[in-house]
Amino acid sequence: MAGNEAVFKTLIDIDSELSQIQDLDILLERVLSEARKVVNADAGTIYVKEILDDEGIKTEKLVMRYSQNDTIQNELPPGQKLIYSVFSLPINDKTISGYCALTQQLVNVRDAYNLPPDVPYSFGLNYDQISGYKTTSILAVPLKGTEGGLLGVIQIINAKDKDGNVVPFSQNDETIITHFAVNAIAALQKAQLTRTMILRMIKMAELRDPKETGTHVNRVAGYAAEIYDRWATRRGESEERRNKFKDNLRTASMLHDVGKVAISDTILKKPGKFTPEEYSIMQTHCVHGSALFGDSQSSLDSLSRDIAFTHHENWDGTGYPGKVDPVTGMPVDFDDTGKPIGKKGEEIPLAGRIVALADVYDALCSRRVYKEPWGEEDVLMEMRKMSGSKFDPELIEIFFEVLPGIKQIRQLYPEAD
Ligand code: C2E
Ligand code: SIN
Ligand code: SIN
Ligand code: FE
Ligand code: FE
């Protein structure tokens, strides 16, 4: 059992790291990578149970959230993200993960291509056929909530021995992963609650079609995290700083427009172009938003304040609200005509510059009460055109570098129709 002592020490360390992550998406990705690490597995996928509403008929499904594969990842150029298609599985006994969700039992498959004759599920060859990867051993682990409900399933693939050979998952692996899952659940439930509370707050703030709002803010947050990650890699930021900032950024970005709570419905929901007066009222959402976070020093609050305050500033200084106090909204620096001077360049905090770009990209791609969605090519041309005027040119460069990842996030949080 000497080996296991070290394993349990590792589990405790992981537990304390996971419990510090606030954002649900960051956490899901991390839970998957840590699960693979504790049992030395090459690949895996994490699914979340969601209730999908298909014209009034509610069905529970497993929606794939993150997928990882070291073998395929290692064949990509350094820094490039593994792109996979997002899909969902019914909760029934036909697939391995579906069966795991249905029974809430761990499923250990020695060889996906030689299943025992008495199991109800079969192995879908699709993934292997598309990727050219060979799946052999599979461990599907249910993530059971403390109130009996199922949160999701972690499916890990291809255990490796110390020489790198693919082997079945052992009994010991089953024990370790079961303990791991208990810890992961606690962190996941907390993050899920935080996410729910944030989405409720946004629903209240924007007082508009909640279908649109929830996915818009999740996409903006996802793009922001993606862009930051590449920026931080370029700067050689330490992994610890990067993870912490990214976690805060993902959550804070969702709150960029909470200040819209102060804008009247007639303006917010106007089904057409604003008059100049309406537009200037709408512009106050930045100060209203930042004031909500007061002068709190917590890293999440101060980042949320920065983002709410500066996500409409432009790189060239032509944006709003400009140099005003973030809590009172009183100008602190005027031009000759008495208007606040815009912030420009690196006077705008990084997070504000990132969210500015993410927000406009998503707004252009989406339907709004006041506009139709633009076509993809037009959107990309517009983004490129605004490099150096509206947007930080380095961030636009990064945006185009990580575009495949950005498009993947659109798939993860599709617009409701
Ligand atoms: P939003 O809809 O989330 O849009 C965010 C930003 O994306 C906008 O900031 C703008 O920079 C950009 N954007 C959105 N649609 C277009 C477009 O068709 N063309 C161009 N060039 N840029 C676009 P902005 O303009 O400061 O607006 C802030 C918020 O004010 C918008 O958030 C939206 O909620 C509201 N809004 C702006 N203009 C109108 C309007 O004419 N009618 C209505 N009903 N709402 C508007
Ligand atoms: C699974 O079976 O759990 C994943 C989907 C498949 O490959 O069949
Ligand atoms: C613009 O706002 O740049 C014109 C395009 C539009 O409103 O759809
Ligand atoms: Fe805004
Ligand atoms: Fe927005």
Side-chain angles (χ1 to χ4, degrees):
M1 290 313 272
N4 268 0
E5 244 166 69
V7 170
F8 283 104
K9 169 81 170 69
T10 309
L11 286 177
I12 290 166
D13 290 347
I14 294 172
D15 182 35
S16 89
E17 275 174 45
L18 293 183
S19 67
Q20 286 170 36
I21 299 175
Q22 312 166 104
D23 182 78
L24 183 59
D25 279 71
I26 305 278
L27 184 61
L28 286 165
E29 196 170 11
R30 188 67 178 275
V31 163
L32 177 59
S33 61
E34 295 296 340
R36 294 196 301 116
K37 222 191 278 170
V38 286
V39 294
N40 201 27
D42 190 47
T45 298
I46 189 162
Y47 300 90
V48 172
K49 186 187 81 181
E50 282 184 13
I51 299 167
L52 300 183
D53 189 339
D54 191 8
E55 288 171 0
I57 302 164
K58 292 196 186 350
T59 42
E60 293 186 340
K61 294 196 105 179
L62 286 181
V63 180
M64 181 247 236
R65 290 275 110 180
Y66 289 94
S67 203
Q68 297 165 355
N69 186 313
D70 284 348
T71 297
I72 299 178
Q73 182 75 59
N74 290 338
E75 288 163 4
L76 298 174
Q80 190 165 318
K81 229 185 112 153
L82 177 69
I83 301 301
Y84 42 84
S85 57
V86 176
F87 62 92
S88 59
L89 295 175
I91 299 183
N92 61 25
D93 63 8
K94 301 285 183 274
T95 64
I96 293 161
S97 299
Y99 182 77
C100 170
L102 185 71
T103 59
Q104 301 204 10
Q105 301 286 331
L106 189 135
V107 182
N108 190 344
V109 173
R110 295 179 65 86
D111 181 356
Y113 286 80
N114 282 297
L115 294 174
D118 57 342
V119 297
Y121 45 79
S122 53
F123 172 64
L125 299 170
N126 231 339
Y127 177 77
D128 281 9
Q129 275 163 357
I130 292 168
S131 60
Y133 185 74
K134 174 84 167 31
T135 300
T136 304
S137 54
I138 301 177
L139 195 57
V141 188
L143 293 165
K144 282 186 272 191
T146 44
E147 285 172 33
L150 181 88
L151 260 90
V153 169
I154 311 177
Q155 187 196 241
I156 45 183
I157 291 173
N158 286 358
K160 291 192 153 183
D161 67 15
K162 50 184 180 336
D163 302 320
N165 304 308
V166 173
V167 292
F169 289 95
S170 66
Q171 196 107 57
N172 202 29
D173 290 339
E174 292 187 20
T175 308
I176 293 167
I177 209 76
T178 303
H179 281 275
F180 171 84
V182 171
N183 294 342
I185 287 281
L188 284 167
Q189 282 186 318
K190 197 178 79 180
Q192 216 164 34
L193 182 64
T194 308
R195 173 69 60 87
T196 305
M197 297 303 284
I198 287 174
L199 288 173
R200 275 186 199 139
M201 209 166 122
I202 291 163
K203 233 187 258 184
M204 269 194 324
E206 305 206 21
L207 306 164
R208 59 156 68 144
D209 195 350
K211 275 193 303 194
E212 173 189 323
T213 320
T215 58
H216 165 63
V217 295
N218 267 308
R219 286 193 302 268
V220 170
Y223 306 154
E226 196 71 28
I227 291 165
Y228 168 72
D229 212 36
R230 177 60 63 101
W231 182 91
T233 306
R234 283 190 175 197
R235 297 293 146 116
E237 292 274 21
S238 74
E239 181 144 335
E240 197 190 334
R241 260 182 76 101
R242 191 160 107 186
N243 287 341
K244 181 77 196 143
F245 192 87
K246 193 163 86 170
D247 183 32
N248 275 331
L249 179 67
R250 178 117 195 359
T251 299
S253 303
M254 293 181 76
L255 297 167
H256 68 274
D257 270 341
V258 281
K260 285 182 179 172
V261 70
I263 309 298
S264 82
D265 246 19
T266 33
I267 292 182
L268 199 60
K269 291 187 182 169
K270 180 177 175 177
K273 285 258 171 211
F274 280 160
T275 63
E277 214 223 324
E278 288 164 341
Y279 190 40
S280 71
I281 294 171
M282 175 55 102
Q283 291 185 347
T284 65
H285 79 277
C286 297
V287 171
H288 287 301
S290 69
L292 281 176
F293 302 99
D295 52 12
S296 161
Q297 296 301 310
S298 95
S299 58
L300 180 61
D301 278 4
S302 76
L303 196 66
S304 303
R305 184 171 53 232
D306 278 356
I307 290 171
F309 191 40
T310 64
H311 72 278
H312 288 292
E313 297 290 357
N314 294 342
W315 181 255
D316 64 6
T318 60
Y320 64 88
K323 296 189 178 178
V324 301
D325 183 282
V327 176
T328 64
M330 297 304 284
V332 294
D333 207 350
F334 314 85
D335 65 12
D336 297 340
T337 69
K339 272 191 16 200
I341 292 172
K343 292 200 184 75
K344 69 175 180 197
E346 289 180 357
E347 287 174 353
I348 309 160
L350 174 70
R353 283 181 271 143
I354 291 176
V355 172
L357 194 163
D359 184 36
V360 172
Y361 171 70
D362 199 63
L364 293 178
C365 293
S366 308
R367 187 179 312 281
R368 288 282 191 272
V369 283
Y370 63 97
K371 65 172 274 290
E372 289 299 307
W374 292 25
E376 158 140 24
E377 247 174 75
D378 290 340
V379 172
L380 295 180
M381 242 159 49
E382 184 76 5
M383 296 299 289
R384 179 90 70 191
K385 206 172 83 192
M386 293 188 287
S387 172
S389 52
K390 196 174 182 72
F391 302 126
D392 176 345
E394 184 185 359
L395 291 179
I396 283 290
E397 212 178 89
I398 290 174
F399 168 80
F400 281 95
E401 274 177 32
V402 301
L403 196 56
I406 301 252
K407 288 185 186 165
Q408 172 142 11
I409 292 161
R410 281 194 86 71
Q411 273 201 317
L412 215 48
Y413 288 105
E415 210 163 336
D417 35 32

